[in-house]
Amino acid sequence: MESYEPERLSPVQLAAMRRSLTSGRGALTRRSLLRASGMGALALGGIATLGACGIPPAGRAEGAAAADDHSEKEKEVAFSNWTEYMDVSDDEKTRPTLAAFTKRTGIRVKYTEDINDNVEFFGKIKPQLAAGQNTGRDLICVTDWLAARIIRLGWAQKLDPSNLPHAFANVSAQFRTPDWDPGRAYSYPWTGIPTVIAYNVKATGGRKVDSVTQLLDDPKLKGRVSFLSEMRDTIGMTLLDQGKDPGKFTDTDFDGAIGRLQKAVDKKQIRRFTGNDYTADLSKGDIAACVGWAGDIIQLQADNPDIKFAIPAAGYITSSDNLLVPAQARHKTNAEKLIDYYYEPPVAAQLAAYINYVCPVDGVRDELAKIDESMASNTLILPDREMAAKSRSFRSLSTEEETAYEEKFAKLIGA
């Protein structure tokens, strides 16, 4: 495992976290507003403490050394996940898919909903990982940027493909080769989280809004447009509209996206940059169109038929939550069997029917249709081939890049 010098979070990085946790993606709840990254509220004091103790920089690593695997003798696996991210029976007494896994394999799952926010959770497990100690968890679920950091630091174990036949065969193409884990050597996606264009068809006078260019330039939308206060979503969607790849952009490309948005701010085309609070304005029609999160749109459409969404021809941003086996995990093989189990289409369909996120498993459509035909046809849960082909991920950032980019973005949005 590589050594590192602790780094302090810059003031602008702390400010970005505060935005996320108080009004952005971190402020959403999983069932009322399907979120895009970390859930729950991490007290600002907690952020400051984490920043002071230092998050290690993202260096290169070859992965954690294989720990002693006690899977054969100890038929158990400890799985840490977010709240409301697992199917529950109608009486709320059991978790059907987990119970079925235990019945089939004899492996007991210690399932804990102890992830409320990526930064907070990393603060919990970092001391053990840095010391080469077991975290007490065999499987964790974290958002892509944190998964990338854990892998680069050498704190994730390389997965054994022989234990993952369904996962290897069925992971959707759009999730197969992230730049931070090409070929999924260390991780597999649990869910995908799309960023799309949303609009209120009543507020637009019946017109469709399906591009960032429309949001930024259409005079009929002036003062009734919002973008997100999450840098990766807003900049990523703007880069795509400018013909740039969010997975390969340069500093010049980033500055170009900032400049494009700044012009729209200066001419008062953009009303404001928001967290999930755009949903109320969109539903009322005070905001006619915006960049928003797909999970929100599913919820809004249930109550307001005027709410529509569009996938720009230029593409859209998708982030993901991902399963990792931490360094020194005691039951690696059992964890791999659990990952693989959730890549069996009938099991994946049960999970998707409950949590309503983008399912990263190919071949699940027919199984989901048996449960709920409307979900099987909802491209925000199961993207069709055309939509999946337009999905793009925001590339991994170095510490220096993140600081510089967040400073520029904070200036743009007035944060």
Short mmCIF file of all heavy atoms in Angstrom, two decimals, residues 161-217:
data_model
loop_
_atom_site.label_atom_id
_atom_site.label_comp_id
_atom_site.label_asym_id
_atom_site.label_seq_id
_atom_site.Cartn_x
_atom_site.Cartn_y
_atom_site.Cartn_z
N PRO A 161 -12.78 -12.73 -10.88
CA PRO A 161 -13.81 -12.91 -11.91
C PRO A 161 -14.51 -14.26 -11.85
O PRO A 161 -15.67 -14.37 -12.26
CB PRO A 161 -13.02 -12.75 -13.22
CG PRO A 161 -11.80 -11.99 -12.84
CD PRO A 161 -11.47 -12.43 -11.44
N SER A 162 -13.83 -15.30 -11.35
CA SER A 162 -14.44 -16.62 -11.31
C SER A 162 -15.63 -16.67 -10.35
O SER A 162 -16.48 -17.56 -10.47
CB SER A 162 -13.41 -17.68 -10.92
OG SER A 162 -12.98 -17.52 -9.57
N ASN A 163 -15.68 -15.72 -9.42
CA ASN A 163 -16.82 -15.65 -8.49
C ASN A 163 -17.91 -14.70 -8.97
O ASN A 163 -18.91 -14.50 -8.27
CB ASN A 163 -16.34 -15.19 -7.11
CG ASN A 163 -15.48 -16.22 -6.42
OD1 ASN A 163 -15.67 -17.42 -6.60
ND2 ASN A 163 -14.51 -15.77 -5.64
N LEU A 164 -17.72 -14.11 -10.17
CA LEU A 164 -18.62 -13.06 -10.64
C LEU A 164 -19.10 -13.31 -12.07
O LEU A 164 -19.10 -12.39 -12.90
CB LEU A 164 -17.90 -11.70 -10.56
CG LEU A 164 -17.53 -11.25 -9.15
CD1 LEU A 164 -16.38 -10.25 -9.19
CD2 LEU A 164 -18.75 -10.64 -8.45
N PRO A 165 -19.56 -14.51 -12.39
CA PRO A 165 -19.95 -14.79 -13.78
C PRO A 165 -21.13 -13.96 -14.25
O PRO A 165 -21.15 -13.48 -15.40
CB PRO A 165 -20.28 -16.28 -13.76
CG PRO A 165 -20.63 -16.58 -12.32
CD PRO A 165 -19.73 -15.69 -11.53
N HIS A 166 -22.15 -13.77 -13.40
CA HIS A 166 -23.31 -12.98 -13.81
C HIS A 166 -22.95 -11.50 -13.91
O HIS A 166 -23.37 -10.80 -14.84
CB HIS A 166 -24.46 -13.16 -12.81
CG HIS A 166 -24.99 -14.55 -12.75
ND1 HIS A 166 -24.60 -15.45 -11.79
CD2 HIS A 166 -25.89 -15.21 -13.54
CE1 HIS A 166 -25.22 -16.60 -11.99
NE2 HIS A 166 -26.01 -16.49 -13.05
N ALA A 167 -22.18 -11.01 -12.94
CA ALA A 167 -21.80 -9.60 -12.96
C ALA A 167 -20.97 -9.28 -14.20
O ALA A 167 -21.22 -8.27 -14.89
CB ALA A 167 -21.01 -9.26 -11.69
N PHE A 168 -20.00 -10.11 -14.50
CA PHE A 168 -19.14 -9.87 -15.66
C PHE A 168 -19.95 -9.89 -16.95
O PHE A 168 -19.74 -9.06 -17.85
CB PHE A 168 -18.04 -10.92 -15.73
CG PHE A 168 -17.07 -10.71 -16.86
CD1 PHE A 168 -16.04 -9.79 -16.74
CD2 PHE A 168 -17.20 -11.42 -18.05
CE1 PHE A 168 -15.15 -9.58 -17.79
CE2 PHE A 168 -16.32 -11.21 -19.10
CZ PHE A 168 -15.29 -10.28 -18.97
N ALA A 169 -20.89 -10.81 -17.05
CA ALA A 169 -21.67 -10.95 -18.29
C ALA A 169 -22.76 -9.89 -18.42
O ALA A 169 -23.07 -9.46 -19.53
CB ALA A 169 -22.30 -12.34 -18.35
N ASN A 170 -23.32 -9.45 -17.30
CA ASN A 170 -24.55 -8.66 -17.36
C ASN A 170 -24.40 -7.18 -17.06
O ASN A 170 -25.38 -6.44 -17.17
CB ASN A 170 -25.59 -9.25 -16.40
CG ASN A 170 -26.05 -10.63 -16.82
OD1 ASN A 170 -25.99 -10.98 -18.00
ND2 ASN A 170 -26.50 -11.43 -15.86
N VAL A 171 -23.23 -6.71 -16.65
CA VAL A 171 -23.10 -5.28 -16.38
C VAL A 171 -23.31 -4.51 -17.69
O VAL A 171 -22.75 -4.85 -18.73
CB VAL A 171 -21.74 -4.94 -15.74
CG1 VAL A 171 -20.57 -5.27 -16.66
CG2 VAL A 171 -21.70 -3.48 -15.31
N SER A 172 -24.15 -3.49 -17.63
CA SER A 172 -24.50 -2.72 -18.83
C SER A 172 -23.28 -2.03 -19.42
O SER A 172 -22.37 -1.61 -18.69
CB SER A 172 -25.55 -1.67 -18.48
OG SER A 172 -26.73 -2.27 -18.01
N ALA A 173 -23.28 -1.87 -20.71
CA ALA A 173 -22.13 -1.30 -21.41
C ALA A 173 -21.78 0.08 -20.89
O ALA A 173 -20.60 0.44 -20.79
CB ALA A 173 -22.40 -1.26 -22.91
N GLN A 174 -22.79 0.89 -20.54
CA GLN A 174 -22.51 2.26 -20.12
C GLN A 174 -21.79 2.32 -18.77
O GLN A 174 -21.23 3.35 -18.42
CB GLN A 174 -23.79 3.08 -20.07
CG GLN A 174 -24.72 2.76 -18.91
CD GLN A 174 -25.97 3.63 -18.90
OE1 GLN A 174 -27.03 3.20 -19.35
NE2 GLN A 174 -25.85 4.84 -18.40
N PHE A 175 -21.80 1.20 -18.02
CA PHE A 175 -21.13 1.17 -16.72
C PHE A 175 -19.88 0.28 -16.71
O PHE A 175 -19.25 0.12 -15.67
CB PHE A 175 -22.10 0.63 -15.65
CG PHE A 175 -23.29 1.51 -15.41
CD1 PHE A 175 -24.54 1.16 -15.93
CD2 PHE A 175 -23.18 2.69 -14.70
CE1 PHE A 175 -25.65 1.96 -15.71
CE2 PHE A 175 -24.28 3.50 -14.48
CZ PHE A 175 -25.52 3.14 -14.99
N ARG A 176 -19.52 -0.27 -17.86
CA ARG A 176 -18.50 -1.32 -17.87
C ARG A 176 -17.07 -0.79 -17.71
O ARG A 176 -16.23 -1.46 -17.10
CB ARG A 176 -18.62 -2.12 -19.17
CG ARG A 176 -17.74 -3.37 -19.21
CD ARG A 176 -18.03 -4.21 -20.45
NE ARG A 176 -19.31 -4.90 -20.35
CZ ARG A 176 -19.50 -6.06 -19.75
NH1 ARG A 176 -18.49 -6.68 -19.17
NH2 ARG A 176 -20.69 -6.62 -19.72
N THR A 177 -16.77 0.38 -18.21
CA THR A 177 -15.37 0.82 -18.24
C THR A 177 -15.20 2.26 -17.75
O THR A 177 -14.81 3.14 -18.52
CB THR A 177 -14.78 0.69 -19.65
OG1 THR A 177 -15.61 1.44 -20.57
CG2 THR A 177 -14.71 -0.75 -20.09
N PRO A 178 -15.49 2.54 -16.47
CA PRO A 178 -15.21 3.89 -15.96
C PRO A 178 -13.71 4.16 -15.97
O PRO A 178 -12.90 3.22 -15.84
CB PRO A 178 -15.75 3.84 -14.53
CG PRO A 178 -15.68 2.40 -14.15
CD PRO A 178 -15.97 1.64 -15.41
N ASP A 179 -13.31 5.42 -16.12
CA ASP A 179 -11.87 5.70 -16.22
C ASP A 179 -11.12 5.36 -14.93
O ASP A 179 -9.93 5.11 -14.96
CB ASP A 179 -11.63 7.17 -16.61
CG ASP A 179 -12.04 8.17 -15.54
OD1 ASP A 179 -12.76 7.80 -14.59
OD2 ASP A 179 -11.64 9.34 -15.64
N TRP A 180 -11.84 5.31 -13.81
CA TRP A 180 -11.19 5.04 -12.53
C TRP A 180 -11.12 3.54 -12.21
O TRP A 180 -10.45 3.14 -11.26
CB TRP A 180 -11.89 5.79 -11.40
CG TRP A 180 -13.39 5.68 -11.43
CD1 TRP A 180 -14.27 6.51 -12.06
CD2 TRP A 180 -14.19 4.67 -10.80
NE1 TRP A 180 -15.56 6.09 -11.88
CE2 TRP A 180 -15.54 4.97 -11.10
CE3 TRP A 180 -13.90 3.57 -10.00
CZ2 TRP A 180 -16.60 4.18 -10.63
CZ3 TRP A 180 -14.93 2.79 -9.54
CH2 TRP A 180 -16.27 3.10 -9.86
N ASP A 181 -11.81 2.69 -12.98
CA ASP A 181 -11.74 1.24 -12.79
C ASP A 181 -12.06 0.53 -14.10
O ASP A 181 -13.09 -0.14 -14.22
CB ASP A 181 -12.71 0.80 -11.68
CG ASP A 181 -12.56 -0.68 -11.32
OD1 ASP A 181 -11.51 -1.27 -11.65
OD2 ASP A 181 -13.48 -1.25 -10.70
N PRO A 182 -11.18 0.67 -15.09
CA PRO A 182 -11.43 0.05 -16.39
C PRO A 182 -11.64 -1.46 -16.27
O PRO A 182 -10.87 -2.15 -15.62
CB PRO A 182 -10.15 0.37 -17.19
CG PRO A 182 -9.56 1.55 -16.49
CD PRO A 182 -9.89 1.38 -15.05
N GLY A 183 -12.71 -1.95 -16.90
CA GLY A 183 -12.98 -3.37 -16.87
C GLY A 183 -13.55 -3.87 -15.57
O GLY A 183 -13.76 -5.08 -15.39
N ARG A 184 -13.81 -2.95 -14.63
CA ARG A 184 -14.40 -3.31 -13.33
C ARG A 184 -13.58 -4.37 -12.61
O ARG A 184 -14.09 -5.41 -12.18
CB ARG A 184 -15.85 -3.79 -13.53
CG ARG A 184 -16.80 -2.68 -13.97
CD ARG A 184 -17.03 -1.69 -12.86
NE ARG A 184 -17.94 -0.61 -13.26
CZ ARG A 184 -18.29 0.40 -12.46
NH1 ARG A 184 -17.81 0.46 -11.24
NH2 ARG A 184 -19.12 1.33 -12.88
N ALA A 185 -12.30 -4.08 -12.42
CA ALA A 185 -11.43 -5.00 -11.70
C ALA A 185 -11.66 -4.96 -10.20
O ALA A 185 -11.45 -5.96 -9.50
CB ALA A 185 -9.96 -4.67 -11.99
N TYR A 186 -12.14 -3.81 -9.69
CA TYR A 186 -12.28 -3.63 -8.24
C TYR A 186 -13.71 -3.34 -7.79
O TYR A 186 -13.98 -3.34 -6.59
CB TYR A 186 -11.40 -2.46 -7.77
CG TYR A 186 -9.93 -2.70 -7.93
CD1 TYR A 186 -9.27 -2.31 -9.09
CD2 TYR A 186 -9.18 -3.30 -6.91
CE1 TYR A 186 -7.91 -2.53 -9.24
CE2 TYR A 186 -7.82 -3.52 -7.05
CZ TYR A 186 -7.19 -3.12 -8.22
OH TYR A 186 -5.84 -3.35 -8.36
N SER A 187 -14.60 -3.06 -8.71
CA SER A 187 -15.92 -2.58 -8.32
C SER A 187 -16.99 -3.04 -9.30
O SER A 187 -16.68 -3.39 -10.45
CB SER A 187 -15.93 -1.04 -8.26
OG SER A 187 -15.82 -0.49 -9.57
N TYR A 188 -18.25 -3.00 -8.83
CA TYR A 188 -19.39 -3.16 -9.72
C TYR A 188 -20.46 -2.16 -9.31
O TYR A 188 -20.63 -1.88 -8.11
CB TYR A 188 -19.95 -4.59 -9.68
CG TYR A 188 -19.28 -5.50 -10.67
CD1 TYR A 188 -18.17 -6.25 -10.30
CD2 TYR A 188 -19.71 -5.57 -12.00
CE1 TYR A 188 -17.51 -7.07 -11.22
CE2 TYR A 188 -19.06 -6.39 -12.92
CZ TYR A 188 -17.96 -7.13 -12.52
OH TYR A 188 -17.31 -7.92 -13.45
N PRO A 189 -21.17 -1.58 -10.29
CA PRO A 189 -22.17 -0.57 -9.95
C PRO A 189 -23.40 -1.17 -9.28
O PRO A 189 -23.86 -2.26 -9.65
CB PRO A 189 -22.53 0.04 -11.31
CG PRO A 189 -22.22 -1.03 -12.31
CD PRO A 189 -21.03 -1.77 -11.75
N TRP A 190 -23.90 -0.46 -8.29
CA TRP A 190 -25.16 -0.82 -7.64
C TRP A 190 -26.33 -0.13 -8.34
O TRP A 190 -27.36 -0.75 -8.60
CB TRP A 190 -25.09 -0.40 -6.17
CG TRP A 190 -26.26 -0.74 -5.30
CD1 TRP A 190 -27.15 0.15 -4.74
CD2 TRP A 190 -26.67 -2.04 -4.84
NE1 TRP A 190 -28.08 -0.51 -3.97
CE2 TRP A 190 -27.79 -1.86 -4.02
CE3 TRP A 190 -26.18 -3.32 -5.04
CZ2 TRP A 190 -28.46 -2.92 -3.40
CZ3 TRP A 190 -26.83 -4.39 -4.43
CH2 TRP A 190 -27.95 -4.19 -3.62
N THR A 191 -26.15 1.16 -8.66
CA THR A 191 -27.17 1.93 -9.37
C THR A 191 -26.51 3.03 -10.18
O THR A 191 -25.38 3.42 -9.91
CB THR A 191 -28.16 2.62 -8.40
OG1 THR A 191 -27.42 3.37 -7.44
CG2 THR A 191 -29.05 1.63 -7.70
N GLY A 192 -27.24 3.56 -11.14
CA GLY A 192 -26.83 4.73 -11.90
C GLY A 192 -27.76 5.90 -11.61
O GLY A 192 -28.93 5.71 -11.29
N ILE A 193 -27.22 7.13 -11.72
CA ILE A 193 -27.98 8.33 -11.38
C ILE A 193 -27.85 9.35 -12.52
O ILE A 193 -26.84 10.05 -12.62
CB ILE A 193 -27.48 8.93 -10.05
CG1 ILE A 193 -27.48 7.87 -8.95
CG2 ILE A 193 -28.34 10.12 -9.63
CD1 ILE A 193 -26.16 7.71 -8.27
N PRO A 194 -28.84 9.47 -13.42
CA PRO A 194 -28.74 10.36 -14.57
C PRO A 194 -29.09 11.82 -14.23
O PRO A 194 -29.93 12.11 -13.39
CB PRO A 194 -29.77 9.81 -15.55
CG PRO A 194 -30.22 8.50 -14.98
CD PRO A 194 -30.02 8.60 -13.50
N THR A 195 -28.43 12.72 -14.94
CA THR A 195 -28.76 14.15 -14.94
C THR A 195 -29.37 14.47 -16.30
O THR A 195 -28.74 14.20 -17.34
CB THR A 195 -27.50 15.00 -14.71
OG1 THR A 195 -26.92 14.64 -13.46
CG2 THR A 195 -27.84 16.48 -14.69
N VAL A 196 -30.57 15.03 -16.32
CA VAL A 196 -31.31 15.24 -17.56
C VAL A 196 -31.86 16.67 -17.62
O VAL A 196 -31.65 17.46 -16.70
CB VAL A 196 -32.48 14.24 -17.67
CG1 VAL A 196 -31.97 12.81 -17.69
CG2 VAL A 196 -33.49 14.43 -16.54
N ILE A 197 -32.55 16.98 -18.68
CA ILE A 197 -33.29 18.24 -18.78
C ILE A 197 -34.74 17.98 -18.42
O ILE A 197 -35.35 17.02 -18.90
CB ILE A 197 -33.18 18.84 -20.18
CG1 ILE A 197 -31.75 19.35 -20.42
CG2 ILE A 197 -34.18 19.98 -20.37
CD1 ILE A 197 -31.52 19.90 -21.79
N ALA A 198 -35.28 18.80 -17.54
CA ALA A 198 -36.68 18.70 -17.14
C ALA A 198 -37.39 20.00 -17.50
O ALA A 198 -36.78 21.07 -17.49
CB ALA A 198 -36.79 18.43 -15.65
N TYR A 199 -38.68 19.89 -17.80
CA TYR A 199 -39.44 21.11 -18.10
C TYR A 199 -40.90 20.91 -17.76
O TYR A 199 -41.41 19.79 -17.66
CB TYR A 199 -39.27 21.51 -19.57
CG TYR A 199 -39.73 20.50 -20.60
CD1 TYR A 199 -40.96 20.63 -21.24
CD2 TYR A 199 -38.92 19.43 -20.96
CE1 TYR A 199 -41.38 19.71 -22.19
CE2 TYR A 199 -39.32 18.50 -21.91
CZ TYR A 199 -40.54 18.65 -22.52
OH TYR A 199 -40.96 17.73 -23.46
N ASN A 200 -41.57 22.02 -17.55
CA ASN A 200 -43.01 22.05 -17.27
C ASN A 200 -43.69 22.48 -18.56
O ASN A 200 -43.60 23.64 -18.96
CB ASN A 200 -43.30 23.03 -16.13
CG ASN A 200 -44.75 23.04 -15.72
OD1 ASN A 200 -45.65 22.97 -16.55
ND2 ASN A 200 -45.00 23.13 -14.41
N VAL A 201 -44.36 21.53 -19.21
CA VAL A 201 -44.89 21.80 -20.55
C VAL A 201 -45.96 22.89 -20.53
O VAL A 201 -46.13 23.63 -21.51
CB VAL A 201 -45.43 20.49 -21.17
CG1 VAL A 201 -46.71 20.03 -20.48
CG2 VAL A 201 -45.64 20.64 -22.66
N LYS A 202 -46.63 23.06 -19.42
CA LYS A 202 -47.59 24.16 -19.29
C LYS A 202 -46.87 25.49 -19.25
O LYS A 202 -47.29 26.47 -19.88
CB LYS A 202 -48.44 23.96 -18.03
CG LYS A 202 -49.56 24.97 -17.88
CD LYS A 202 -50.42 24.63 -16.66
CE LYS A 202 -51.57 25.61 -16.51
NZ LYS A 202 -52.42 25.28 -15.32
N ALA A 203 -45.77 25.55 -18.54
CA ALA A 203 -45.00 26.79 -18.42
C ALA A 203 -44.27 27.15 -19.71
O ALA A 203 -43.98 28.32 -19.97
CB ALA A 203 -44.00 26.68 -17.28
N THR A 204 -43.95 26.15 -20.54
CA THR A 204 -43.27 26.43 -21.81
C THR A 204 -44.26 26.68 -22.94
O THR A 204 -43.84 26.85 -24.10
CB THR A 204 -42.34 25.27 -22.21
OG1 THR A 204 -43.13 24.09 -22.47
CG2 THR A 204 -41.31 24.99 -21.14
N GLY A 205 -45.54 26.68 -22.65
CA GLY A 205 -46.54 26.88 -23.68
C GLY A 205 -46.66 25.71 -24.62
O GLY A 205 -46.99 25.87 -25.80
N GLY A 206 -46.38 24.52 -24.11
CA GLY A 206 -46.49 23.31 -24.92
C GLY A 206 -45.22 22.95 -25.67
O GLY A 206 -45.18 21.91 -26.34
N ARG A 207 -44.19 23.77 -25.56
CA ARG A 207 -42.96 23.51 -26.30
C ARG A 207 -42.06 22.54 -25.55
O ARG A 207 -41.97 22.58 -24.33
CB ARG A 207 -42.20 24.82 -26.55
CG ARG A 207 -42.93 25.74 -27.51
CD ARG A 207 -42.11 26.98 -27.84
NE ARG A 207 -41.70 27.67 -26.61
CZ ARG A 207 -40.44 27.91 -26.29
NH1 ARG A 207 -39.46 27.49 -27.06
NH2 ARG A 207 -40.15 28.55 -25.17
N LYS A 208 -41.36 21.71 -26.30
CA LYS A 208 -40.39 20.79 -25.73
C LYS A 208 -39.06 21.51 -25.54
O LYS A 208 -38.67 22.33 -26.37
CB LYS A 208 -40.20 19.59 -26.68
CG LYS A 208 -39.24 18.53 -26.17
CD LYS A 208 -39.16 17.37 -27.17
CE LYS A 208 -38.26 16.26 -26.65
NZ LYS A 208 -38.19 15.12 -27.61
N VAL A 209 -38.39 21.21 -24.45
CA VAL A 209 -37.05 21.75 -24.20
C VAL A 209 -36.11 20.55 -24.09
O VAL A 209 -36.26 19.72 -23.20
CB VAL A 209 -37.01 22.59 -22.91
CG1 VAL A 209 -35.60 23.13 -22.68
CG2 VAL A 209 -38.01 23.73 -22.98
N ASP A 210 -35.15 20.46 -24.99
CA ASP A 210 -34.33 19.25 -25.03
C ASP A 210 -32.85 19.50 -25.25
O ASP A 210 -32.13 18.60 -25.67
CB ASP A 210 -34.86 18.27 -26.07
CG ASP A 210 -34.85 18.83 -27.48
OD1 ASP A 210 -34.37 19.98 -27.67
OD2 ASP A 210 -35.31 18.14 -28.41
N SER A 211 -32.38 20.71 -24.96
CA SER A 211 -30.94 20.97 -25.09
C SER A 211 -30.50 22.06 -24.12
O SER A 211 -31.30 22.92 -23.72
CB SER A 211 -30.59 21.40 -26.52
OG SER A 211 -31.06 22.71 -26.78
N VAL A 212 -29.24 22.00 -23.76
CA VAL A 212 -28.67 23.05 -22.92
C VAL A 212 -28.64 24.37 -23.69
O VAL A 212 -28.84 25.45 -23.11
CB VAL A 212 -27.26 22.64 -22.45
CG1 VAL A 212 -26.54 23.81 -21.77
CG2 VAL A 212 -27.36 21.46 -21.48
N THR A 213 -28.45 24.31 -24.99
CA THR A 213 -28.49 25.52 -25.81
C THR A 213 -29.82 26.25 -25.65
O THR A 213 -29.86 27.48 -25.51
CB THR A 213 -28.23 25.19 -27.29
OG1 THR A 213 -26.88 24.75 -27.45
CG2 THR A 213 -28.46 26.40 -28.18
N GLN A 214 -30.93 25.51 -25.67
CA GLN A 214 -32.23 26.13 -25.43
C GLN A 214 -32.29 26.81 -24.06
O GLN A 214 -32.77 27.93 -23.94
CB GLN A 214 -33.34 25.09 -25.52
CG GLN A 214 -33.83 24.78 -26.92
CD GLN A 214 -34.94 23.76 -26.89
OE1 GLN A 214 -34.68 22.55 -26.84
NE2 GLN A 214 -36.17 24.22 -26.90
N LEU A 215 -31.82 26.11 -23.06
CA LEU A 215 -31.84 26.67 -21.71
C LEU A 215 -31.06 27.99 -21.65
O LEU A 215 -31.47 28.93 -20.98
CB LEU A 215 -31.24 25.68 -20.72
CG LEU A 215 -31.99 24.37 -20.48
CD1 LEU A 215 -31.20 23.48 -19.52
CD2 LEU A 215 -33.39 24.63 -19.93
N LEU A 216 -29.94 28.04 -22.36
CA LEU A 216 -29.06 29.20 -22.27
C LEU A 216 -29.41 30.33 -23.23
O LEU A 216 -29.05 31.48 -22.98
CB LEU A 216 -27.61 28.76 -22.52
CG LEU A 216 -27.02 27.80 -21.49
CD1 LEU A 216 -25.61 27.38 -21.91
CD2 LEU A 216 -27.00 28.43 -20.10
N ASP A 217 -30.13 30.02 -24.32
CA ASP A 217 -30.31 31.02 -25.37
C ASP A 217 -31.75 31.36 -25.72
O ASP A 217 -32.00 32.41 -26.32
CB ASP A 217 -29.60 30.57 -26.65
CG ASP A 217 -28.09 30.53 -26.51
OD1 ASP A 217 -27.58 31.23 -25.60
OD2 ASP A 217 -27.43 29.82 -27.29
#
